[in-house]
Amino acid sequence: PRLEVAAAKTELFAGDPAAAAARLEAVIAQASAPIALYWLSAAYGALGMSGEQKEFLRRAQLEHGLRIIRDAGGDVQRLKNDHAYAMNVGGLFYDAKQVGPASVAYGLAASHGNPTATNLVNYGLALQHQGRINEAIEAFTLLADLFPSSRAHEFLLYACFFAEDGVLRHAREVRRWASLYAPRYDPNAHRFANKRNPNRKLRIGYVAPSFIGTQVRQFLLPALYAHDTEAFDIYLYAADGDAEVGLPGKIITIGKMNDAQAVARIRQDRIDVLVDLWGHTSHGRLGVFALKAAPVQAAWINYVQSTGLEAMDYVFHADCMATPGTADLFTEKIWSLGPIHAPFRPDGPPLEAPTPALCNGYVTFGCFNHPAKLNDPTIAAWARILKAMPNARLVLKYSYYADPILQNTMCMRFAANGVNPDRIEFRGHSNGPDYLRQFGDIDLALDPSPCPGGTTSSDAFASGVPVLSLRGEDFYARLAVIHQEPMGLHELIAETWDDYVAKAVSLTSHHAALDELRVKVRTVVAASPMRDEAGFTRRLENAYRAIFAKWCESA
């Protein structure tokens, strides 16, 4: 089959996907093999036969997954009959970041007839991490129906981010979540003894599972350390306060408290403005906010979508995120903090090395984002860029790219758009200096849309690597330009996918000019609002006074 598959690949990239499909169909009729199934899905994709493309890609993923499990010593027959065994095998692969084989094992466990909540959570996550969003949503919907709870339903909320029409789907689903699990909110039922004087010293409370050990660290700590402690008392409510020792402010452990107990503690502390940093992400404490722990409550940093809670008064955005109709998607009022949503403190200095194309002789594009963000329009646009630049390469880096099924799937999606997978390099997990060092291999980072990069884009810019972004149509997509606009890097903002492709080609066509852009990025980042920790914190504190003043006037 490999010789026939090689011939089919030649036909596909020569512009004859029909001949490639016919050849591969003949191969599969003789003996089904994952490699032939993968390439047939690509040929069908090139022919515009999306239904057939998805069908054969799923067959390839299943057969490939079973082969990987068998080669690792797994008992495939037992997988089909023993729920506990299938769950154990799935867990072993999941822990190794091989989410493709994990989803096969978890899927077989679920097919036994009585899936457990853990089974459906793990199955949905394994699918989601491959970018198989519609399948993940089906698993999480079943989870929410069979095991109704606030936590179970939140897996479905998060998956909506990556779906088509994601912001609208999330807005609808989060309201349904609130109707099912949040206590009915009566604004007249809560009486607070806080002095109604917005000019006094205010007490600000922040709530997160951890302030040091999560992705909010680089965005939050600059504000915590820059707070005016003469004007504000800072309280940090974490799952384990002992793990947060050394942070400015009073640290309180609430991990072992239920929501009512945590609310009682926060009210005892007479917090004026309580800020949630985590949203509907695992280990969040939105139940505390649903019970109205403070007179003014706001959501910030990790969850820019609506919480769905009527008891949540505000959500903090940036100016560039404003789009018509956004207010209708939120139960909260949107309050802009100015040009940026939060400051960013890099873990290391910017890379001083020149753009790698000067040495390599070819351009290397890169994306270090979660695979679920790479939707079909994004891949189609990136394929157009690669076809316009035949010598260019693309680096895709994320922990789940350790999975050969995900690698093959991504390759076939590009192949369906006419790009030979030989031009794509996959990299797995790294952290610390090694992670930052790998930005030095990238000439131009490509941002997906409408689910843009967050921390990864911040890391890229802080490392001196230019990031090309699509402005997008909704508030979530607009988060992509939160770096470029304040820095005046308008050449890195595209208005349409056509403009995106044209800019990528133009920016990288001349290597010397590309290197000048890299120098420019390093220069403007250092002087940008994202590095102005004190300036941002003053705006944040002004926002706290303003929203507390509105509460004072509401009596």
Side-chain angles (χ1 to χ4, degrees), residues 205-207 237 266 271-276 288-289 293-294 296-298:
Y206 294 101
V207 181
Y237 299 94
I266 293 167
I271 298 300
D272 297 306
V273 180
L274 187 67
V275 184
D276 176 62
V288 171
F289 289 81
V296 182
Q297 302 188 144

Side-chain angles (χ1 to χ4, degrees), residues 167-478:
V167 296
L168 181 58
R169 293 182 68 166
H170 179 275
R172 292 171 178 167
E173 196 62 42
V174 80
R175 282 173 167 81
R176 190 165 80 91
W177 172 89
S179 71
L180 291 170
Y181 303 111
R184 184 177 179 183
Y185 177 64
D186 180 0
N188 299 315
H190 304 281
R191 292 288 181 263
F192 294 94
N194 304 56
K195 294 181 180 179
R196 293 178 181 265
N197 176 8
N199 298 315
R200 64 174 171 81
K201 191 174 189 179
L202 296 183
R203 295 188 173 195
I204 310 299
Y206 294 101
V207 181
S210 171
F211 301 98
I212 295 176
T214 66
Q215 63 260 36
V216 303
R217 169 182 57 87
Q218 291 173 280
F219 302 96
L220 176 67
L221 295 190
L224 288 186
Y225 283 104
H227 266 311
D228 181 356
T229 54
E230 296 296 319
F232 298 89
D233 284 326
I234 305 302
Y235 290 72
L236 306 176
Y237 299 94
D240 179 8
D242 291 340
E244 315 294 327
V245 172
L247 291 179
K250 187 172 183 179
I251 305 167
I252 301 99
T253 295
I254 62 170
K256 295 183 179 180
M257 298 181 186
N258 62 31
D259 289 343
Q261 291 169 331
V263 168
R265 175 57 200 260
I266 293 167
R267 289 180 178 174
Q268 177 186 320
D269 291 334
R270 302 192 311 280
I271 298 300
D272 297 306
V273 180
L274 187 67
V275 184
D276 176 62
L277 302 173
W278 209 239
H280 288 285
T281 314
S282 181
H283 306 299
R285 295 302 301 266
L286 283 178
V288 171
F289 289 81
L291 295 173
K292 198 65 174 177
V296 182
Q297 302 188 144
W300 183 39
I301 294 187
N302 196 51
Y303 210 84
V304 298
Q305 288 81 2
S306 176
T307 65
L309 297 176
E310 293 183 5
M312 188 72 79
D313 302 293
Y314 298 94
V315 60
F316 292 147
H317 281 189
D319 292 346
C320 67
M321 297 167 66
T323 56
T326 296
D328 297 335
L329 302 171
F330 285 78
T331 55
E332 307 87 347
K333 294 182 178 67
I334 298 171
W335 191 281
S336 179
L337 295 176
I340 62 171
H341 174 239
F344 182 77
R345 181 178 292 180
D347 283 336
L351 302 167
E352 297 295 337
T355 198
L358 290 175
C359 176
N360 294 334
Y362 59 83
V363 170
T364 302
F365 298 103
C367 176
F368 292 7
N369 285 297
H370 193 294
K373 295 186 176 186
L374 275 58
N375 58 10
D376 289 341
T378 294
I379 286 181
W382 292 359
R384 289 169 59 191
I385 295 167
L386 291 171
K387 287 190 290 185
M389 304 184 66
N391 294 322
R393 300 290 186 268
L394 173 64
V395 172
L396 298 179
K397 174 177 168 56
Y398 205 85
S399 59
Y400 300 120
Y401 286 125
D403 175 26
I405 292 178
L406 177 57
Q407 289 187 19
N408 275 278
T409 298
M410 199 63 74
C411 285
M412 293 308 106
R413 294 173 70 192
F414 276 94
N417 285 279
V419 173
N420 193 318
D422 293 344
R423 302 173 63 190
I424 302 172
E425 177 188 348
F426 296 99
R427 300 185 185 182
H429 177 72
S430 61
N431 51 30
D434 183 46
Y435 162 71
L436 294 175
R437 200 161 35 239
Q438 294 194 46
F439 282 104
D441 297 335
I442 307 303
D443 292 292
L444 180 67
L446 299 177
D447 206 5
S449 184
C451 298
T455 305
T456 49
S457 292
S458 298
D459 283 330
F461 274 117
S463 298
V465 178
V467 182
L468 177 64
S469 298
L470 180 68
R471 188 182 300 276
E473 298 181 357
D474 59 60
F475 75 91
Y476 187 41
R478 295 283 174 94

Side-chain angles (χ1 to χ4, degrees), residues 25-48:
E25 287 166 353
V27 170
I28 292 168
Q30 295 296 317
S32 181
I35 188 173
L37 293 168
Y38 276 124
W39 281 101
L40 183 56
S41 76
Y44 282 143
L47 289 167

